[in-house]
Amino acid sequence: MSQQSRTIVQDAWKAFASHDADRIAAVFTDDAEWLAPPENATAVALGGSSHLVGKKAIVRFLAEDFSRFFVRDVTVTFHGFYADGERVIVEETMTATLANGNHYANDYCFVFELRDGLIHRVREYMDTARGHRMVFG
């Protein structure tokens, strides 16, 4: 199960990078949740929530809002995928150019919880102070 879970999450990242709403929707349960740190820079800058509830809200963020904020040169460098049953941990560094022209670079850790082969919950961790410095100067 762990290898299958790891493959599901690796394929999900490919869907996220496509910004294709249908591809993204196909990897989440209808009642999925994405929990990021409260008042993280991305949520604040976009005037959105750090707790996305439901497939529709998550898809809107990944297919539309993400590319309005991280406008070009988005690069994700993966440092590890670790799977245990239906839980997958992903360590990564993301760099990009922001809509305001600032350079962005931050380290992330994601915890994916799967259910029936789909992503049910994502918990996102990052250096929020660093994010605020890069976004808001």
Side-chain angles (χ1 to χ4, degrees), residues 5 8 10 13 15-19 21 25 30 35 37 39 41 50 59 71 75 79 121 126 130 132 134 136:
S5 295
I8 289 167
Q10 287 172 323
W13 277 106
F16 302 165
S18 76
H19 302 290
D30 289 336
L35 298 97
E39 299 184 28
S50 60
V59 169
V71 295
T75 302
H79 305 295
R121 181 173 292 118
M126 71 186 87
R130 183 177 184 188
H132 274 271
M134 285 180 278
F136 300 111

Side-chain angles (χ1 to χ4, degrees), residues 46 59 64 67 94 119:
L46 291 172
V59 169
E64 299 171 21
S67 56
M94 185 180 80
I119 298 168

Side-chain angles (χ1 to χ4, degrees), residues 1 4 8-9 12 24-32 55 86 112-121:
M1 185 60 177
Q4 181 183 6
I8 289 167
V9 172
I24 295 166
V27 304
F28 287 99
T29 62
D30 289 336
D31 60 344
K55 180 191 306 194
E86 291 192 317
F112 289 84
E113 297 175 28
L114 306 179
R115 186 177 70 204
D116 300 325
L118 297 172
I119 298 168
H120 173 63
R121 181 173 292 118

Side-chain angles (χ1 to χ4, degrees), residues 30-75:
D30 289 336
D31 60 344
E33 293 180 83
W34 191 301
L35 298 97
E39 299 184 28
N40 70 78
T42 304
V44 171
L46 291 172
S49 175
S50 60
H51 183 184
L52 303 175
V53 179
K55 180 191 306 194
K56 185 176 179 180
I58 295 168
V59 169
R60 183 177 51 250
F61 174 77
L62 292 172
E64 299 171 21
D65 297 337
F66 183 92
S67 56
R68 282 190 309 116
F69 189 67
F70 300 101
V71 295
R72 65 182 178 280
D73 308 320
V74 177
T75 302

